[in-house]
Each structure stands twice: as C-alpha cells, then as structure tokens.
C-alpha cells in the first residue's frame, strides 16, 4: 500500500511539473503573445542589390577609402552611416563632399585631417559620395 501511495504521488508530481512547464497544453495554443524583436539588418545587407551601392562600394575600395572608413563603424574617419546621417543626399552636399575628398578637409569630424586625394577623378568621387549618402540607417 505504501509503495502504491508513493508511486501515485510521484505520478501526480510529474504530471503537475509537466503541465507547469508547458507540457499539458493543446497544440492549438499560440506560442507567445509578445511580438518578436525586429531583426537588425546591416546596411550592407540592406543595400547589397542597389546599383549605387555596388558601384560606389567597388570604387571606394579601389580608391583606398576603406583604410580609414567603414560602413557602420568609425575607424580613423567617420563611418559612412554617420556621414549619411549628417548630410542629406542633395546635389549641393554631393558637390561639397566631393570637394572635401579631392582637396582634403579638417574640422567637421574632429581634428584628424581628411587627406587630399587629387589623383581621383571628380566623377569617381561623386559615385563614392552617392554611395556613402545612400547608407542611411
């Protein structure tokens, strides 16, 4: 009788624990009522199929821009995303930033100077600037 009573208590305990841990519900219940957190997509993944991104990214790598700049992280110079956040994609800003790349600049992002790149063609730099300004978060 004692063994049967102990066995019954054990079965009830296991059943109660199983139900409390989610094992007692029917399969038609929803998993959770809280919405899933939005998946953060990198800017590179977000724009990877955009022709401006493809061409500008290739030209930026070829010109050596990636030695000082990254898409979403500051290295020596600001990230491309920070530049895109600061400047609207307007013809005036494209012209100004193109001049900063070709002629060099200092003071907009701290005391480290953006060196001049006079060897780069204006059209090439404009392509890079359009790519950078595309990268809004």
């Amino acid at each position: 009788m004692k063994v049967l009573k102990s066995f019954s208590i054990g079965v009830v305990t296991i059943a109660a624990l199983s139900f409390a841990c989610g094992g007692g519900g029917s399969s038609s219940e929803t998993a959770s009522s809280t919405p899933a957190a939005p998946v953060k997509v990198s800017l590179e993944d977000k724009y990877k199929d955009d022709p401006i991104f493809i061409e500008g990214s290739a030209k930026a790598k070829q010109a050596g821009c990636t030695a000082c700049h990254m898409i979403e992280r500051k290295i020596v110079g600001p990230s491309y995303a920070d530049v895109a956040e600061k400047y609207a994609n307007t013809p005036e800003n494209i012209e100004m930033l193109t001049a900063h790349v070709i002629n060099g600049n200092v003071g907009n992002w701290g005391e480290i100077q953006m060196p001049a790149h006079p060897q780069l063609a204006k059209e090439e730099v404009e392509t890079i600037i359009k790519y950078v300004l595309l990268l809004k978060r």
Side-chain angles (χ1 to χ4, degrees):
M1 183 76 171
K2 279 186 173 183
V3 174
L4 186 58
K5 185 175 182 183
S6 295
F7 180 74
S8 296
I9 291 173
V11 169
V12 169
T13 303
I14 291 172
L17 285 173
S18 176
F19 184 78
C21 293
S26 68
S27 62
S28 65
E29 291 181 15
T30 58
S32 175
S33 62
T34 58
V39 176
K40 185 176 179 180
V41 176
S42 73
L43 290 173
E44 197 165 7
D45 286 340
K46 182 177 179 181
Y47 294 107
K48 68 181 177 188
D49 296 326
D50 189 303
I52 294 171
F53 178 88
I54 295 167
E55 184 179 8
S57 175
K59 289 192 182 293
K61 287 176 187 168
Q62 182 181 20
C65 301
T66 55
C68 297
H69 302 278
M70 290 183 75
I71 293 177
E72 296 188 72
R73 195 176 69 155
K74 178 184 177 5
I75 305 179
V76 175
S79 71
Y80 295 150
D82 288 341
V83 174
E85 197 168 305
K86 184 172 182 174
Y87 299 102
N89 192 348
T90 64
E92 296 80 20
N93 284 339
I94 292 170
E95 186 176 328
M96 177 198 57
L97 294 170
T98 297
H100 286 185
V101 171
I102 293 172
N103 302 321
N105 189 44
V106 69
N108 290 354
W109 299 95
E111 295 307 313
I112 297 176
Q113 182 172 359
M114 166 81 170
H117 296 84
Q119 76 281 8
L120 299 176
K122 182 179 179 183
E123 296 77 23
E124 183 178 22
V125 175
E126 286 176 348
T127 300
I128 294 169
I129 296 300
K130 289 174 185 177
Y131 150 72
V132 169
L133 296 180
L134 173 74
L135 299 169
K136 295 220 183 263
R137 289 186 179 112

